Amino acid sequence: MSTVTYAVRDSGTMLRRNLRRWVRYPSMTVLLVGMPVMLLLLFVYVFGGTLGAGLGGGAGDRGDYVNYVTPGILLMTAGLAATGTAVSVAMDMTEGIIARFRTMAIARASVLTGHVLASLAQSMLGLAMVTGVALLIGFRPTTGALAWLAAAGVLVMTAFAFIWLSVALGLVSKSVETASNLPMPLTYLPFIGSGFVPTDSMPDGLRQFAEYQPFTPIIETLRGLLTGGPVGTNAALAAAWCAAIALVGYLWSKKLFNRDPSR
């Protein structure tokens, strides 16, 4: 059996281990999926009437706001799922199971690969459920199957990047509590972007940050694909940001995982 075959087999074993953990401890999955659903309902039914009136030159309503806010909530869902990744990795590092894995004849890369694949599956589940709820409360995409497929690709690409960054944050954390806090910017940066209100409604300094931070081109790409708006250069910027975040997360994770065998 070749080295690659061993690595694939061991990664499959680690994937099953992490999926069983999600099944045995469903509270984390419920929280990571339930929170974006609650935020979606809150913003649409509590603030949607007022915020929607500010869209389209003051002619918008709650229905317009559902279409506007859903891409931001989807990005927040991917960020929250990444928080679960950091917690899961930190639990493994602090409970000693990683030290046990290091003594076994398994591919070292399979430990982190199993976390990434399981978290990606969890992210897709959460994104599907949030999309379903959005459709139920009035989200009405106006584009076809190809645009849906492209939007799904953007979400997979984004979740993959966030997960690798969160693996590194889980590895660098000294405790599970720290790991649960470090990925918070992934959850809250959509607020300081175009996720919930247009950036041109913000003061100058904040508006410039909102327009140039990495989440805004991802949100605008999703919004353009799903609602038929212009995508422009946002797709290229989104791909570049996701590639950069994933590469940094992967290299940082690899360095941390190989650095400290005593943890």
Side-chain angles (χ1 to χ4, degrees):
M1 192 177 290
S2 68
T3 303
V4 174
T5 305
Y6 273 121
V8 171
R9 184 200 62 183
D10 292 343
S11 296
T13 302
M14 291 298 170
L15 170 61
R16 289 195 296 275
R17 169 182 176 266
N18 286 287
L19 290 177
R20 286 175 180 170
R21 172 184 281 180
W22 296 126
V23 173
R24 290 179 180 176
Y25 303 100
S27 57
M28 178 65 80
T29 302
V30 171
L31 175 65
L32 297 179
V33 175
M35 186 176 292
V37 169
M38 291 299 295
L39 285 172
L40 176 62
L41 297 176
L42 174 70
F43 273 88
V44 170
Y45 287 113
V46 178
F47 306 122
T50 301
L51 294 175
L55 300 175
D61 57 15
R62 182 174 284 109
D64 295 319
Y65 192 67
V66 177
N67 290 331
Y68 184 87
V69 78
T70 297
I73 294 289
L74 290 173
L75 197 62
M76 180 178 286
T77 306
L80 278 167
T83 301
T85 308
V87 170
S88 180
V89 171
M91 287 175 64
D92 275 357
M93 295 300 290
T94 56
E95 292 178 354
I97 188 65
I98 296 296
R100 179 73 181 99
F101 286 149
R102 291 180 195 277
T103 67
M104 300 171 66
I106 60 175
R108 290 174 64 86
S110 66
V111 178
L112 298 185
T113 303
H115 274 293
V116 170
L117 294 177
S119 296
L120 193 58
Q122 188 186 42
S123 296
M124 294 304 102
L125 173 65
L127 289 167
M129 294 186 68
V130 171
T131 301
V133 172
L135 290 170
L136 286 174
I137 65 173
F139 178 49
R140 295 294 178 265
T142 56
T143 51
L146 190 60
W148 270 96
L149 192 61
V154 171
L155 288 171
V156 170
M157 178 175 65
T158 305
F160 183 76
F162 287 179
I163 288 168
W164 267 116
L165 181 60
S166 293
V167 168
L169 295 175
L171 288 169
V172 80
S173 299
K174 300 297 183 185
S175 67
V176 174
E177 290 76 13
T178 303
S180 68
N181 293 324
L182 286 182
M184 283 300 176
L186 298 178
T187 304
Y188 293 112
L189 273 176
F191 285 103
I192 318 175
S194 65
F196 293 84
V197 294
T199 57
D200 56 13
S201 66
M202 301 176 183
D204 285 346
L206 186 60
R207 177 176 54 79
Q208 290 168 354
F209 174 81
E211 289 176 347
Y212 291 105
Q213 60 118 320
F215 284 25
T216 293
I218 301 174
I219 293 169
E220 290 303 317
T221 301
L222 289 171
R223 188 170 286 138
L225 288 171
L226 294 175
T227 62
V231 174
T233 60
N234 287 313
L237 288 172
W241 274 115
C242 288
I245 293 170
L247 181 62
V248 169
Y250 169 74
L251 294 176
W252 191 17
S253 299
K254 184 179 177 182
K255 181 179 179 181
L256 291 169
F257 190 69
N258 293 328
R259 182 190 63 179
D260 188 4
S262 64
R263 290 190 63 190

